[in-house]
Amino acid sequence: MGVLEIIVRVSLVAILIKLAMATDHIVGGPNGGWDTSSDLQSWALSQKFSVGDNLIFKYPPSHNVIEVTKGDYDTCQLTKPIQTYNDGNTIIPLISPGKKYFICGTIGHCSTGMKLEIDTLATATSPVSSSPGESPSPQEIPIIPSPGPEGLTPSPSAESPSYGVPLPSSPLLDTHTPLETPTLSPVVPSSEVTGSSASPLENHSVNQPDSSSASKVIQASISAVLSFLTMLMAF
């Protein structure tokens, strides 16, 4: 299927849809008609004419329909008609927007009010109303600034306070003040520590001579006992 054929088919479908949606406006309404007794101006004001609609005139042989200009409509002149109809069932398609003017060509009928002015709109319009539940327009929605990258807030600066409140100065935030190197105190040798400050190891080393003396006393006692037992066994 070619592109041209597709375009033609789409156009035909659009025309059919438009024709199906078209409105037939019977002049004068169900209780009136194209005659001298109908209030044609009030009927025209109660209608909405759109491009694609049909304007239908139904009348007996004593009347006709003549389309005229604005000037001839105001003065009921028949000398320069745009179009004349007298078939009794005139259907005029409204194919273009704008105003159209019609009068009856029978003498004296136009001056008694048998005339019609219509205004055809380009498309069918419907009133736009706003309900309380409608969302506000983009102009009414307040704009909330989004947070910075990854949702992090900027770190405070010592030179630029935020919201007019000065930040306390800190040596960690002051990049202009060099950091001082801590001074280490000298280590006191263990030999200088006296009294109760001596470590348990040193106390243990001091008490070692007492332990060796006790062991010598025990060994001497055991030797004396063994000698005594040997003498008894000899007797």
Side-chain angles (χ1 to χ4, degrees):
M1 184 183 296
V3 177
L4 181 59
E5 186 177 355
I6 294 175
I7 295 174
V8 171
R9 290 190 177 188
V10 171
S11 301
L12 290 175
V13 171
I15 291 172
L16 291 175
I17 293 174
K18 192 172 183 179
L19 291 175
M21 297 176 62
T23 303
D24 293 335
H25 302 275
I26 300 176
V27 176
N31 298 325
W34 183 240
D35 52 45
T36 56
S37 61
S38 299
D39 188 355
L40 300 174
Q41 304 306 319
S42 297
W43 173 84
L45 293 175
S46 66
Q47 304 295 310
K48 285 188 176 181
F49 305 96
S50 302
V51 172
D53 294 350
N54 295 315
L55 189 63
I56 301 176
F57 292 86
K58 294 183 177 182
Y59 49 93
S62 58
H63 302 297
N64 60 9
V65 179
I66 301 177
E67 184 178 357
V68 295
T69 62
K70 170 63 174 173
D72 291 345
Y73 173 83
D74 293 336
T75 58
C76 293
Q77 294 294 324
L78 305 174
T79 56
K80 298 178 181 180
I82 297 174
Q83 189 70 38
T84 301
Y85 308 92
N86 54 13
D87 54 4
N89 188 26
T90 302
I91 301 175
I92 301 176
L94 304 177
I95 59 176
S96 61
K99 292 185 177 183
K100 293 182 179 295
Y101 305 92
F102 304 93
I103 62 175
C104 179
T106 302
I107 297 175
H109 287 187
C110 177
S111 57
T112 58
M114 195 174 176
K115 53 197 300 187
L116 178 66
E117 174 186 353
I118 66 168
D119 188 6
T120 305
L121 304 177
T123 55
T125 58
S126 59
V128 178
S129 60
S130 60
S131 60
E134 285 188 358
S135 59
S137 60
Q139 291 79 3
E140 299 175 356
I141 300 176
I143 300 174
I144 302 175
S146 60
E150 301 182 0
L152 299 178
T153 56
S155 59
S157 174
E159 298 180 357
S160 58
S162 60
Y163 303 101
V165 179
L167 295 175
S169 60
S170 173
L172 297 177
L173 300 178
D174 191 356
T175 57
H176 301 288
T177 303
L179 297 175
E180 295 182 359
T181 304
T183 304
L184 300 176
S185 60
V187 179
V188 180
S190 60
S191 59
E192 297 181 3
V193 179
T194 58
S196 61
S197 62
S199 63
L201 293 177
E202 292 177 352
N203 293 333
H204 179 69
S205 61
V206 173
N207 295 330
Q208 283 182 356
D210 298 336
S211 300
S212 60
S213 299
S215 62
K216 289 179 180 180
V217 173
I218 294 172
Q219 289 177 1
S221 301
I222 293 173
S223 299
V225 172
L226 291 175
S227 298
F228 179 74
L229 291 175
T230 303
M231 290 175 64
L232 290 175
M233 292 176 66
F235 285 107

